[in-house]
Structures are given as structure tokens and as C-alpha cells.
């Protein structure tokens, strides 16, 4: 097939010294679905943003339909026929579907009057042409995320683009919505559109794409045909070494009880019982997993432990002391905590990295402050940030950079580094690897296992059963606010846990 | 009867500059600009309007100068807030203060007077008598014989409403306010739209200014906008920019203003001149209570 786009030795450097793309050359053929995979921070999005004119390349050339091009803004790229659907959906919620689609290309009547009838008709035609199942008159704020994504795609098709760039389109969708999107993308490809698909979900990539280009740390590893690729092979290309998907625990006897909830009950302000008689024990050198379909009390359990809500009855003990109603600083001396919501609970995304790293530490550790805790010692903070960066392999320009400039995986590593370097014997992990790529997940898992070897006690909430089976010694299953099972990981299996999660009772078959 | 006609005419007269400025504010509000500079733009318009009318002995040139003066103020706002990306609030405060200072300075330098300047050389904007209608009792006294700017204001209200809700520019204007990245990625520069909204705001506040110095009275006095720009801002925020709503609020304010004057017969003027502002506070309070109720449902 003919190449529609050729990117030749593209270089992008983010000052001062982060090489985001190191002479990457890729060719995209007409009428293919081409996946670009790589870990967070590998340069996938940057490469696509350069193609789309959102960021300038520092050097390198682009050929589009055989001609040398350079887009200085997305508008030019769209005019040329290249469109991008971003991860965060960029529509106007207050506008209807057709208003969003025609925005910028509105048909007008005399005197600049918007020709609403014609615009709506044109949008309707496009919807029918591509079989999109959308109501042109619906307000965007009232439709589902999947439908909004369709509106984004439609908006580009309305501008007659032939190349569609999709930046992690599945990350905002529910599992049920993904096949539909894939069906639509395949139909577009069969219509002659070229689709560039950024992802780090290997199964999706293998299912959807024709060819796959793998990037690692700003370099291209290779382009392969999807039919010739395997999940393990791709993972190895992505991280540069073999990735093990099996259990990585070593045998070890658990020590004394570090953490214990007894008879924990919680009724929410609407008088609905959210937690009922929850008893969980975690011993030193033990990883206990909490499995359960989301919304079965896990969130309340975490909030109770951290003191964000108070239990109706029952108590929480950590390291031999009742911490149920202790102030947060007292809790933090005993409990390290990695929340699932990185941006809102785990960090202050507007603060810089060093400030995020010393949070809590600056209250518990004398060395970060002078004058009885009144003045922060930024020298110490900087050297500690450096220590965290080394120990947790964080890709960042400097500790002064704002936290939100980090990629998702690196953000999580910063939070994990901060928490695991607290001297708290008990560690509470809430979805520690959600949204991370294969390489980062493996890294985080290794650190968790290290903590176990150091005889710390770990309670880990995860929606990912594969992860629980890989790491934990025991798994407790939550169903409708109750702990319905407390299982030894080695003596159970995914089917049994899955059944308990859904039914709340032991399966008999 | 005369009292009622007087009150209504008073209402129309005091509502006019506020409504015009608020319509300008409505356009910038929809474009997503926190524009508090209507006060300064209006004052600039009032000064330049007087200047144009005085030197050229012509009210149309006066109006033209008023519009250009207000646009000049708008361009300063554009330079700082849009081009240099300064904070809009700070820019607005700066511009309002600058306008008071600059017009006062020019008044003293050019005309060598302090406080106010009036002269028979300043040609006021005429009142328009509508044939036939002016002869109708009561109604004729209200509908006919108003200042030209009053009729222009009526047209402007309809035009702004049409522009915002019916035209392509309006669709893009509101898009710039709702989600500017979305507009940018749709291939329309949100900044260009914002610049145009500010220039149009300049035109409307310029008209408001010309009404102050060439319509309402025929003179320029220091700081003669006297908070009308702020009231217009309150009107814009109160009804989230909707032009019809703005017209109603402006009329309400104009009415209370006239009522205040009327009440001066029995109350000290210090109290009666508070009436419009108290009315504004009450309107704000009622509005926020209603909003809260809506949210809890």
C-alpha cells in the first residue's frame, strides 16, 4: 500500500534536557489502522502532536502524500486532511451535536445568519453515511462519553479528513463500549481512511490494528504487522526486557498483626449501610488484597482508615494502637497511603515535584525543617527528591517542575516513592497501578514486593484480579459492604474470586 | 399623569447608558472575557464625544469620536489581556483608573477647567420627534421625542440578541466562552473572536458615553460615568449575559433611579440616590436565592 505519511528523523527536546523523540522515523500507509504503542512517556503523544501541528519538531521532516509539509497549528493539519481525537474530549457541552460538528465550518445565509436547517441536514447526512447512531439535536452534556467521542470523530469527518489520529480512545470508555468503537474504526478504514491509534493496552492493539509501531524512551523500536505480534513480544519491545505476567512472590512467613479492623460498620448520611461488620487483619510481611466490584465498600473502607469519614461503630488498629479517631498526623506515622485518585488526593498537581515529595515527610521528619518546623529546608527537599527519583526510576527534568508536567506513570512513582519512604509499618494501596503501562506496573509491583520483604504489612485494593493473584498472600472479597471471603491466594483461583465478587457467596460447582 | 410620564421618561433616560454598556459587556461575557472595563470605556467615550462635537460643531462627529475613544480603550484592554495575556481583572481595574486619570488630565490641559466643561459650541445629539405618534396623548410623550441614542439602544438590543443567537459569529462567540480550546481546534482562533467582541463592546460603550456627554446633558465632567459601567457589569452577571434580561434589569435600575429623584421631594437626596444601588443589591440577593433553590432541586 502507498505511504500517506512519512515522518523522517523527528527530534523533539523538552528543555532543559528531556529528549522526548530521538530521530524517530515512521511511515503510515493509506487505509490502515496503525497502532503506536509504548509506555507512558515513550513519546507516542508527542509524535502525534507534532504530526498534528500542536507542537513543533526540533528537527526532522514530514511528507504527506509525497509532499513535504509542516503544520504550524491544528487548523492547517485539518485543512490538509489530518484530524486528531484527543484523550480529553474537546467539545462544547452546552451545544447540540450538530452545532459542535459544524463549528468553524458553518453554512451561512444572507448577512452571516447561521443556516441552522442546512447545517443540521448536513450533519444528519454524515451521521447516516457512517452509521453513527447519534441524535443531531441532543445536547452534548446529555450524551454518554462514548457518544461524545463519536461526535469528535464526526466533527473531523465533516471536515473531510482522511487521516484520523486517536489518542488512547478507549481510556474513557467502558468495556461494553469498546467493541462498538472498534467496529466503527474498522468501517472507516474500509472506507479508505487511515487511522493512527495510540494505546498501551496490548490486547486492544492486537485486536484492532493492522500494523504496530513500538516506541521506547523516545526511540522507535520497530514496526511490525499485528498478525505476527504477540502480547509478550510487544511487551518486551515496549519495556526492553522480558515482562513476567506470573506470580512473583517468594515464600515468607508472616509476623505479628500490624493492622486490624474489628466490627467496622459505616452507614452513610442517607442511612444506607455501606460497610457491615468488616474484619480484616494484615500481618507484617504480608500482602492482603481486597477484591470486589467497584462500589461494594472499598471506597468507604479506605476513607475510614484514612479518617475522611468516621465509622458508625467498630475500630481500626494499626501497629498495636487504636487509630480510629486519631488525627491524621498520628495515622500517618503508622499508615502509608497511595490513593487511587492521583490528581486530587495523591498530590497537588499545581505544586512542584519536590513539594509533593516532601508532603507528610516535612511534618514527621525533623531534617526538612528549621526553627521548630516553621521554615522548610529546600536543600534537604531537593536531595530527598533526588533520592526518590533514583530509587523509583522517575523520568523528570527537575524537582522544580510542576507535578502535572509528569506523565501518569511518573506521577504515580513520585507518590509511591513518597509513601514507601515513610517509615510507616503499614501500607494502604488503593488501585496502585490503575492507568499505568506495562513497564511501570511491573516496576510498581517489584517495589511492593520489596516492602513485603522488609516485613511491612500491605493492604491492597485492586480491581485487577491478575494483579491480586500476582502479588498477594491472601485475598478478601467484598460484596455489598461485607467481607464475604478471606482466602489464601495459593488455594484459590480467579474463577472462584470472580464468582464471589459477583454473587457474594461461595460458588458450588 | 405627568408624574407617571416623568417617571417613565426618567427610567428610559437612566436605563439607556447602562443598557448600552451592558450589551457590550454581554458580548465579552459570551466570549469568556471577564471584562470589568465598561466604566472606563464609557468615560473615554463621553470625553471624546464631547471633544468631537466641540471641535467640529457636529453631533455625528461627536458620536464617531465617542465610539473611537471607547475603541481606543478597548484596544488597550486587547493589548494587555489578549495579546500579552495579562490577568483580565487587573487589566480592567487598570483601564478604569487610567480612564479617569486620562480624561481628567486632558480636560484640564485642553480646556483649562477643573470639574466640568460646558460650552455652547458642544452640539448635543438631537431628540427625534416621530410624526403622527407624537400627537397621541401620553403614549406620544413617551415613544416620541426621545434622544436619538435611545432609539439606537433599542435597535442595539435587538441586534445584539440576533448576533449572539442567530449568526455564525454568535455561535463562535459563545463557543469561545464555553470552551476556547474546542473552538481553536475547530479551526477558528478564539483570540480573534475575543478581539472582535471587545471592539464591539467599545462601539456600544462609546455610544453609551456619547449619550452621557451629548444626550443626557451637554457637558463633560470628571468621572461622569459615575458607576454606570459597574451597574452594567452587575446586570450582565445577573442574567448571565442574556440581552433581553439585561434590558429588563437596566430598565428596573432606571426606574429606581427615577424613583429616587422623585422621592427627593420628601427625603434627603443622600438617601434617595442610594435607591438604585439598594435595588441592585436586592436583585442580586433574590437572584442568588433563586439560583440556590434551583441547585438543591
Amino acid at each position: 500500500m502507498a505511504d500517506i505519511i512519512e515522518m523522517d528523523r523527528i527530534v523533539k527536546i523538552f528543555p532543559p534536557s528531556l529528549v522526548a523523540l530521538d530521530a524517530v522515523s515512521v511511515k503510515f500507509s493509506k487505509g490502515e489502522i496503525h497502532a503506536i504503542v509504548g509506555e507512558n512517556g515513550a513519546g507516542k503523544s508527542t509524535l502525534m502532536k507534532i504530526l498534528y501541528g500542536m507542537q513543533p519538531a526540533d528537527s526532522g521532516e514530514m511528507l504527506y502524500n509525497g509532499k513535504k509539509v509542516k503544520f504550524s497549528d491544528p487548523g492547517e493539519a485539518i485543512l490538509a486532511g489530518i484530524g486528531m481525537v484527543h484523550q480529553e474530549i474537546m467539545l462544547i457541552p452546552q451545544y447540540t451535536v450538530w452545532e459542535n460538528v459544524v463549528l468553524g465550518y458553518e453554512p451561512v445565509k444572507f448577512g452571516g445568519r447561521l443556516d441552522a436547517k442546512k447545517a443540521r441536514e448536513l450533519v444528519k447526512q454524515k451521521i447516516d453515511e457512517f452509521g453513527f447512531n447519534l441524535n443531531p439535536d441532543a445536547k452534548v452534556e446529555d450524551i454518554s462519553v462514548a457518544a461524545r467521542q463519536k461526535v469528535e470523530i464526526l466533527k473531523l469527518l465533516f471536515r473531510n479528513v482522511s487521516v484520523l489520529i486517536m489518542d488512547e480512545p478507549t481510556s474513557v470508555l467502558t468495556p461494553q463500549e469498546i467493541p462498538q468503537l472498534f467496529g466503527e474504526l474498522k468501517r472507516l478504514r474500509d472506507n479508505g481512511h487511515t487511522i493512527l491509534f495510540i494505546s498501551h493496552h496490548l490486547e486492544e492493539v492486537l485486536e484492532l490494528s493492522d500494523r504496530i509501531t513500538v516506541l521506547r524512551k523516545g526511540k522507535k523500536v520497530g514496526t511490525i504487522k499485528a498478525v505476527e505480534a504477540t502480547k509478550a513480544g510487544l511487551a518486551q519491545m515496549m519495556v526492553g526486557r522480558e515482562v513476567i505476567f506470573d506470580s512473583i512472590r517468594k515464600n515468607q512467613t508472616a509476623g505479628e498483626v500490624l493492622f486490624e479492623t474489628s466490627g467496622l460498620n459505616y452507614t452513610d448520611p442517607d442511612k444506607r449501610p455501606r460497610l457491615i461488620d468488616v474484619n480484616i487483619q494484615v500481618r507484617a510481611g504480608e500482602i492482603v488484597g481486597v477484591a470486589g466490584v467497584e462500589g461494594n465498600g472499598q471506597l468507604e473502607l479506605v476513607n475510614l482508615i484514612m479518617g475522611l469519614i468516621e465509622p458508625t461503630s467498630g475500630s481500626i488498629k494499626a501497629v498495636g494502637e487504636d487509630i480510629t479517631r486519631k488525627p491524621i498526623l498520628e495515622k500517618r506515622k503508622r499508615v502509608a497511603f497511595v490513593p487511587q485518585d492521583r490528581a486530587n488526593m495523591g498530590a497537588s498537581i499545581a505544586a512542584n515535584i519536590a513539594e509533593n515529595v516532601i508532603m507528610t515527610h516535612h511534618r514527621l521528619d525533623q531534617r526538612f525543617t528549621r526553627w521548630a518546623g516553621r521554615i522548610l529546608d529546600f536543600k534537604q527537599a531537593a536531595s530527598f527528591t533526588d533520592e526518590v527519583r533514583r530509587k523509583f526510576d522517575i523520568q523528570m527534568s527537575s524537582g522544580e517542575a510542576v507535578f502535572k508536567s509528569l506523565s501518569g506513570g511518573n506521577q504515580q512513582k513520585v507518590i509511591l516513592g513518597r509513601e514507601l519512604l515513610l517509615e510507616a509499618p503499614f501500607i494502604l494501596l488503593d488501585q496502585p497501578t490503575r492507568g499505568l503501562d506495562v513497564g511501570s506496573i511491573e516496576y510498581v509491583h517489584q517495589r511492593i514486593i520489596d516492602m513485603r520483604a522488609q516485613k511491612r504489612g500491605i493492604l491492597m485494593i485492586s480491581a485487577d484480579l491478575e494483579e491480586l493473584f500476582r502479588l498477594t498472600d491472601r485475598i478478601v472479597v467484598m460484596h455489598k459492604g461485607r467481607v464475604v471471603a478471606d482466602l489464601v491466594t495459593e488455594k484459590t483461583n480467579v474463577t472462584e474470586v470472580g464468582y464471589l465478587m459477583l454473587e457474594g457467596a461461595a460458588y458450588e460447582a | 399623569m405627568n408624574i407617571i410620564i416623568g417617571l417613565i421618561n426618567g427610567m428610559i433616560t437612566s436605563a439607556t447608558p447602562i443598557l448600552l454598556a451592558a450589551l457590550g459587556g454581554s458580548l465579552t461575557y459570551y466570549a469568556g472575557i471577564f471584562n470589568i472595563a465598561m466604566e472606563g470605556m464609557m468615560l473615554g467615550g463621553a470625553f471624546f464625544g464631547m471633544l468631537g462635537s466641540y471641535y467640529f460643531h457636529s453631533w455625528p462627529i461627536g458620536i464617531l469620536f465617542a465610539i473611537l475613544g471607547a475603541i481606543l480603550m478597548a484596544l488597550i484592554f486587547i493589548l494587555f489581556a489578549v495579546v500579552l495575556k495579562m490577568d483580565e481583572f487587573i487589566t480592567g481595574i487598570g483601564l478604569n483608573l487610567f480612564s479617569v486619570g486620562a480624561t481628567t488630565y486632558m480636560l484640564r490641559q485642553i480646556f483649562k477647567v477643573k470639574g466640568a466643561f460646558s460650552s455652547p459650541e458642544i452640539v448635543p445629539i438631537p431628540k427625534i420627534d416621530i410624526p403622527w405618534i407624537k400627537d397621541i396623548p401620553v403614549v406620544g410623550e413617551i415613544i416620541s421625542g426621545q434622544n436619538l441614542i435611545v432609539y439606537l439602544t433599542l435597535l442595539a438590543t435587538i441586534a445584539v440578541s440576533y448576533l449572539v443567537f442567530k449568526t455564525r459569529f454568535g455561535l463562535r462567540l459563545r463557543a469561545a466562552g464555553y470552551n476556547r480550546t474546542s473552538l481553536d481546534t475547530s479551526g477558528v482562533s478564539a483570540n480573534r473572536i475575543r478581539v472582535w467582541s471587545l471592539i464591539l463592546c467599545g462601539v456600544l460603550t462609546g455610544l453609551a458615553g456619547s449619550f452621557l456627554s451629548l444626550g443626557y446633558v451637554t457637558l463633560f465632567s470628571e468621572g461622569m460615568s459615575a458607576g454606570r459601567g459597574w451597574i452594567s457589569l452587575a446586570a450582565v452577571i445577573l442574567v448571565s449575559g442574556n440581552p433581553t434580561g439585561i434590558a429588563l434589569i437596566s430598565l428596573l435600575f432606571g426606574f429606581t433611579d427615577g424613583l429616587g429623584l422623585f422621592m427627593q421631594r420628601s427625603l434627603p437626596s443622600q438617601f434617595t440616590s442610594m435607591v438604585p444601588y439598594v435595588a441592585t443589591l436586592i436583585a442580586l440577593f433574590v437572584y442568588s436565592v433563586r439560583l440556590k433553590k434551583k441547585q438543591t432541586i
Side-chain angles (χ1 to χ4, degrees):
Chain A
M1 258 184 278
D3 290 332
I4 185 163
I5 296 168
E6 188 176 341
M7 300 185 82
D8 187 25
R9 283 164 290 160
I10 303 289
V11 175
K12 178 75 191 174
I13 296 164
F14 289 114
S17 60
L18 187 66
V19 182
L21 292 172
D22 186 358
V24 173
S25 303
V26 206
K27 289 176 185 174
F28 304 111
S29 308
K30 195 165 166 44
E32 70 168 348
I33 298 182
H34 194 127
I36 296 135
V37 301
E39 299 185 83
N40 290 326
K44 309 172 296 247
S45 294
T46 311
L47 186 70
M48 290 299 106
K49 281 177 181 168
I50 288 171
L51 173 59
Y52 190 48
M54 282 175 81
Q55 284 175 354
D58 290 314
S59 76
E61 282 187 355
M62 283 193 313
L63 296 178
Y64 176 56
N65 282 327
K67 268 181 254 143
K68 204 178 142 185
V69 287
K70 193 171 194 179
F71 304 123
S72 54
D73 64 58
E76 288 181 17
I78 291 173
L79 272 183
I82 299 174
M84 181 159 174
V85 176
H86 301 267
Q87 230 170 319
E88 64 278 22
I89 289 174
M90 289 193 201
L91 294 171
I92 292 165
Q94 295 90 338
Y95 280 5
T96 63
V97 168
W98 73 259
E99 283 173 327
N100 265 291
V101 171
V102 300
L103 185 65
Y105 289 79
E106 312 88 341
V108 282
K109 287 197 286 203
F110 167 76
R113 189 186 168 95
L114 186 67
D115 194 343
K117 212 175 136 201
K118 189 173 165 200
R120 200 186 156 278
E121 204 46 51
L122 288 172
V123 172
K124 187 89 184 69
Q125 272 174 26
K126 280 281 172 195
I127 291 175
D128 294 341
E129 181 184 341
F130 294 99
F132 264 9
N133 187 28
L134 278 171
N135 173 7
D137 298 314
K139 265 199 182 176
V140 164
E141 62 192 349
D142 298 331
I143 62 180
S144 71
V145 177
R148 287 178 203 185
Q149 205 170 45
K150 268 189 242 174
V151 177
E152 289 261 25
I153 297 173
L154 195 68
K155 195 170 160 178
L156 294 171
L157 295 175
F158 188 77
R159 288 154 170 74
N160 290 319
V161 304
S162 49
V163 179
L164 262 182
I165 306 168
M166 307 281 300
D167 189 359
E168 307 211 12
T170 55
S171 62
V172 293
L173 300 182
T174 64
Q176 293 80 8
E177 292 166 332
I178 293 173
Q180 209 190 354
L181 172 72
F182 283 9
E184 275 149 10
L185 292 180
K186 282 178 181 163
R187 215 163 338 123
L188 286 175
R189 171 195 60 192
D190 298 339
N191 273 337
H193 288 84
T194 305
I195 290 155
L196 310 182
F197 174 78
I198 303 179
S199 180
H200 57 237
H201 290 288
L202 299 179
E203 286 97 350
E204 288 175 11
V205 166
L206 289 169
E207 186 194 328
L208 180 70
S209 48
D210 301 310
R211 289 199 300 160
I212 303 164
T213 291
V214 183
L215 296 180
R216 186 204 313 148
K217 292 190 175 162
K219 288 199 173 103
K220 182 175 133 177
V221 183
T223 300
I224 52 174
K225 283 189 180 145
V227 284
E228 290 162 8
T230 61
K231 190 181 166 191
L234 278 180
Q236 188 168 351
M237 282 173 84
M238 270 167 72
V239 297
R241 60 194 147 73
E242 211 176 323
V243 178
I244 308 145
F245 288 101
D246 302 326
S247 171
I248 47 173
R249 269 172 299 122
K250 293 191 186 69
N251 275 330
Q252 173 177 316
T253 13
E256 78 281 7
V257 175
L258 275 182
F259 174 84
E260 189 172 18
T261 70
S262 18
L264 210 52
N265 283 289
Y266 174 69
T267 308
D268 71 12
D270 294 332
K271 306 263 180 274
R272 275 180 298 228
R274 291 293 182 186
L275 286 179
I276 303 149
D277 193 27
V278 170
N279 298 293
I280 296 172
Q281 275 195 354
V282 182
R283 292 169 180 277
E286 184 183 45
I287 302 177
V288 176
V290 177
V293 177
E294 225 160 297
N296 274 284
Q298 300 96 317
L299 179 71
E300 287 78 6
L301 179 65
V302 169
N303 286 347
L304 278 176
I305 296 173
M306 295 320 296
L308 293 172
I309 50 178
E310 278 197 12
T312 318
S313 64
S315 71
I316 303 163
K317 262 191 198 170
V319 205
E321 203 162 331
D322 188 333
I323 61 159
T324 321
R325 287 176 177 81
K326 279 266 160 64
I328 185 69
L329 207 59
E330 287 302 306
K331 288 185 185 242
R332 298 286 273 149
K333 285 178 186 165
R334 299 171 180 83
V335 183
F337 171 46
V338 177
Q340 60 165 293
D341 186 349
R342 284 195 283 275
N344 290 315
M345 267 178 93
S348 164
I349 57 169
N352 71 33
I353 300 167
E355 285 164 343
N356 271 291
V357 165
I358 62 162
M359 281 175 190
T360 309
H361 289 271
H362 77 287
R363 298 290 298 278
L364 297 178
D365 190 336
Q366 299 287 321
R367 80 182 147 126
F368 293 111
T369 51
R370 276 172 290 163
W371 290 13
R374 286 189 184 85
I375 304 289
L376 285 175
D377 186 336
F378 283 103
K379 250 189 206 157
Q380 287 290 341
S383 74
F384 183 61
T385 306
D386 205 48
E387 180 187 336
V388 174
R389 184 181 62 74
R390 270 184 288 108
K391 282 190 178 160
F392 288 84
D393 188 31
I394 298 161
Q395 307 285 320
M396 63 187 211
S397 50
S398 92
E400 314 258 294
V402 287
F403 186 77
K404 67 178 164 199
S405 68
L406 293 172
S407 69
N410 283 315
Q411 290 186 356
Q412 187 70 348
K413 283 181 187 174
V414 169
I415 295 169
L416 209 69
R418 175 186 74 209
E419 294 302 321
L420 298 188
L421 289 177
L422 284 172
E423 272 149 24
F426 171 66
I427 302 169
L428 174 63
L429 304 171
D430 190 3
Q431 315 282 5
T433 59
R434 174 173 285 182
L436 301 191
D437 56 67
V438 187
S440 300
I441 290 174
E442 201 197 18
Y443 193 86
V444 169
H445 283 176
Q446 199 52 54
R447 294 284 83 73
I448 295 173
I449 292 290
D450 292 349
M451 290 297 122
R452 177 177 177 265
Q454 286 176 23
K455 293 278 178 192
R456 302 226 213 165
I458 297 156
L459 185 66
M460 179 165 86
I461 291 135
S462 177
D464 182 354
L465 282 185
E466 210 175 306
E467 173 170 80
L468 289 178
F469 274 88
R470 191 161 177 232
L471 294 178
T472 60
D473 298 284
R474 284 190 296 125
I475 296 176
V476 298
V477 184
M478 293 194 69
H479 180 75
K480 292 188 176 165
R482 288 175 205 271
V483 170
V484 291
D486 188 342
L487 310 157
V488 175
T489 308
E490 279 175 355
K491 292 182 184 158
T492 181
N493 55 54
V494 176
T495 329
E496 184 184 14
V497 174
Y499 195 87
L500 283 162
M501 280 165 61
L502 291 174
E503 301 295 325
Y507 88 127
E508 297 145 44
Chain B
M1 201 38 131
N2 276 336
I3 289 172
I4 291 175
I5 293 172
L7 268 181
I8 291 177
N9 279 331
M11 166 175 89
I12 291 172
T13 316
S14 13
T16 297
I18 293 165
L19 176 51
L20 275 173
L23 289 172
S26 158
L27 292 173
T28 52
Y29 180 90
Y30 279 117
I33 304 166
F34 191 54
N35 176 13
I36 59 165
M38 276 92 79
E39 177 84 8
M41 292 185 194
M42 205 195 303
L43 187 60
F47 180 81
F48 283 103
M50 180 274 289
L51 199 69
S53 179
Y54 175 79
Y55 278 119
F56 292 92
H57 309 292
S58 152
W59 59 264
I61 294 189
I63 293 181
L64 183 71
F65 265 58
I67 290 173
L68 290 177
I71 288 181
L72 182 73
M73 295 290 171
L75 287 175
I76 298 174
F77 192 95
I78 290 166
L79 172 67
F80 284 96
V82 182
V83 181
L84 300 174
K85 298 190 168 58
M86 270 285 301
D87 186 88
E88 288 160 357
F89 191 73
I90 309 264
T91 309
I93 291 179
L95 198 63
N96 285 337
L97 293 174
F98 169 73
S99 185
V100 173
T103 53
T104 304
Y105 174 77
M106 285 189 285
L107 181 74
R108 292 179 186 183
Q109 282 301 309
I110 298 172
F111 300 104
K112 312 287 180 210
V113 291
K114 273 189 183 175
F117 175 73
S118 74
S119 154
E121 309 275 295
I122 305 174
V123 182
I125 299 169
K127 295 189 171 176
I128 306 285
D129 279 330
I130 306 174
W132 306 108
I133 291 176
K134 71 172 182 198
D135 300 326
I136 307 170
V138 186
V139 179
E141 286 177 67
I142 294 166
I143 293 184
S144 175
Q146 299 284 2
N147 194 289
L148 174 68
I149 299 285
V150 172
Y151 299 110
L152 282 182
T153 306
L154 189 68
L155 287 181
T157 312
I158 297 164
V160 166
S161 198
Y162 178 81
L163 185 69
V164 169
F165 295 113
K166 294 288 177 206
T167 65
R168 174 166 73 182
F169 178 79
L171 189 75
R172 294 175 176 184
L173 179 79
R174 285 178 289 139
Y178 288 139
N179 184 348
R180 52 171 314 173
T181 5
S182 173
L183 186 64
D184 277 327
T185 54
S186 303
V188 180
S189 159
N191 272 345
R192 262 186 70 176
I193 298 286
R194 288 151 75 96
V195 165
W196 277 113
S197 78
L198 280 161
I199 289 176
L200 289 174
C201 178
V203 172
L204 290 161
T205 47
L207 280 176
S210 74
F211 184 72
L212 291 184
S213 62
L214 302 174
Y216 202 46
V217 290
T218 312
L219 57 84
F220 179 84
S221 69
E222 293 168 11
M224 78 184 302
S225 49
R228 290 186 180 84
W230 296 107
I231 300 285
S232 72
L233 177 69
V236 171
I237 294 174
L238 207 60
V239 296
S240 310
N242 187 297
T244 324
I246 284 173
L248 290 176
I249 299 261
S250 304
L251 285 175
L252 175 77
F253 185 85
F255 177 72
T256 52
D257 201 24
L259 194 68
L261 284 174
F262 177 66
M263 278 157 54
Q264 267 180 24
R265 294 177 187 185
S266 44
L267 281 171
S269 66
Q270 285 86 346
F271 286 101
T272 56
S273 49
M274 282 186 210
V275 171
Y277 305 96
V278 172
T280 308
L281 284 178
I282 293 171
L284 271 173
F285 179 76
V286 171
Y287 174 76
S288 68
V289 167
R290 257 187 31 213
L291 200 71
K292 231 181 198 165
K293 264 191 195 154
K294 233 188 235 169
Q295 277 165 351
T296 45
I297 295 167

